[in-house]
């Protein structure tokens, strides 16, 4: 356990935050009125994990590279980590091992045409592909209609791609669009935290976290909790500028495209027979009409271009 990983700060802060939330009573340990901290002490975690206090202290200081999976699993049990947190701890250990510690720019994965065809075939559901940095890298017409405020935001990148984290934390309009704005921000920060565990040397990811930390006190607050989410599913309430209040069910599915790069297929739909379904159908009709107009215009340009040579002859 002699390695000095580049992510030792994340390791230390994560372990400290997890033991701070467990009381001795919850862990079945004797309590004392003289305690200076509400959570567990390092020596108590060591006892629960079946390791020495010196060993656990070194682990909490970031010396994780040579730790066995069994030892990490014992610490995870002692700290009562959930599945996402346990995966995050193992990701921190894995990502601390490579020899190169220089941040690098990961090349964006090209979204295959078949994935775009899949998205476009989902005419009654809003669907998009999100990478680990929360960029929307592909979407269907209904997603662009549903999330129009995000697609129209000044926070989009040079390619016109929205980023969920930038929109939520840096565009004031997001507070009106997301009815449960604070919960959306909390989940998004936790998703980014999980990605940092997987890819601590991703320079673009580090720059995104740095930008959000500098510009958004709300993001800084969520980031400091060290909460982790690997996938986010549930109910989302939106206040759409055109159709009003929507309550939608969303599901995130792993989309394996390339190596370890994380991509999720995220689908939003409405409960059958609900007012939200009626409003989503209305948006789907608008989106289909607009998409058809764009396609017809594009085909018209192509047709004009094809006929022009013969006109010159």
């Amino acid at each position: 356990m002699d390695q000095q990983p580049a992510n030792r700060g994340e390791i230390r802060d994560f372990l400290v935050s997890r033991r701070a939330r467990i009381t001795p009573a919850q862990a079945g340990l004797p309590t004392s009125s003289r305690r200076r901290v509400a959570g567990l002490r390092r020596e108590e975690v060591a006892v629960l994990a079946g390791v020495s206090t010196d060993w656990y202290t070194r682990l909490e200081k970031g010396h994780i590279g040579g730790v066995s999976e069994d030892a990490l699993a014992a610490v995870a049990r002692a700290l009562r980590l959930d599945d996402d947190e346990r995966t995050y701890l193992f990701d921190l250990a894995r990502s601390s091992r490579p020899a190169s510690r220089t941040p690098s720019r990961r090349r964006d994965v090209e979204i295959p045409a078949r994935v775009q065809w899949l998205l476009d075939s989902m005419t009654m559901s809003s669907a998009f592909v999100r990478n680990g940095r929360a960029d929307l890298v592909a979407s269907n017409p209904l997603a662009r209609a549903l999330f129009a405020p995000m697609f129209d935001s000044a926070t989009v990148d040079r390619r016109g791609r929205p980023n969920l984290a930038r929109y939520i934390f840096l565009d004031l309009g997001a507070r009106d669009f997301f009815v449960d704005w604070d919960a959306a921000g909390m989940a998004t920060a936790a998703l980014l935290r999980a990605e940092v565990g997987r890819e601590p040397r991703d320079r673009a990811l580090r720059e995104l976290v740095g930008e959000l930390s500098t510009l958004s006190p709300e993001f800084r607050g969520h980031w400091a909790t060290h909460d982790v989410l690997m996938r986010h599913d549930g109910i989302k309430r939106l206040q759409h500028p055109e159709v009003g209040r929507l309550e939608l069910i969303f599901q995130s599915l792993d989309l394996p495209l390339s190596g370890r790069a994380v991509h999720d297929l995220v689908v939003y739909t409405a409960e059958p027979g609900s007012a939200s379904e009626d409003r989503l159908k209305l948006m789907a009709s608008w989106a289909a009409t607009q998409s058809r107009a764009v396609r017809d215009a594009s085909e018209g340009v192509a047709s004009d271009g094809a006929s022009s040579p013969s006109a010159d002859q």
Side-chain angles (χ1 to χ4, degrees), residues 243-255:
V243 300
R245 181 68 63 94
L246 292 161
E247 184 168 300
L248 304 175
I249 295 90
F250 69 101
Q251 180 71 42
S252 173
L253 305 170
D254 290 337
L255 189 65

Side-chain angles (χ1 to χ4, degrees), residues 35-52:
R35 295 184 69 89
R36 291 181 296 176
V37 294
L40 296 179
R41 301 188 182 102
R42 286 175 176 171
E43 57 267 28
E44 291 170 331
V45 176
V47 168
L48 292 169
V51 299
S52 72

Side-chain angles (χ1 to χ4, degrees), residues 286-303:
W286 292 348
T289 301
Q290 186 175 18
S291 179
R292 193 178 307 114
V294 171
R295 185 174 63 249
D296 290 347
S298 176
E299 290 174 353
V301 169
S303 176

Side-chain angles (χ1 to χ4, degrees), residues 149 167-168 171-182 184 237-241 244-246:
Y167 176 67
I168 288 171
D171 189 322
L172 291 177
R175 299 171 187 247
D176 296 323
F177 182 64
F178 290 102
V179 175
D180 305 312
W181 176 79
D182 193 60
R237 284 174 283 272
L238 306 174
Q239 184 65 34
H240 195 276
R245 181 68 63 94
L246 292 161

Side-chain angles (χ1 to χ4, degrees), residues 217-258:
E218 293 84 3
F219 178 81
R220 289 197 299 274
H222 291 315
W223 195 250
T225 66
H226 289 266
D227 289 338
V228 179
L229 272 179
M230 297 293 172
R231 186 184 292 115
H232 186 36
D233 309 311
I235 296 174
K236 191 77 73 180
R237 284 174 283 272
L238 306 174
Q239 184 65 34
H240 195 276
E242 299 295 335
V243 300
R245 181 68 63 94
L246 292 161
E247 184 168 300
L248 304 175
I249 295 90
F250 69 101
Q251 180 71 42
S252 173
L253 305 170
D254 290 337
L255 189 65
L257 292 178
S258 173

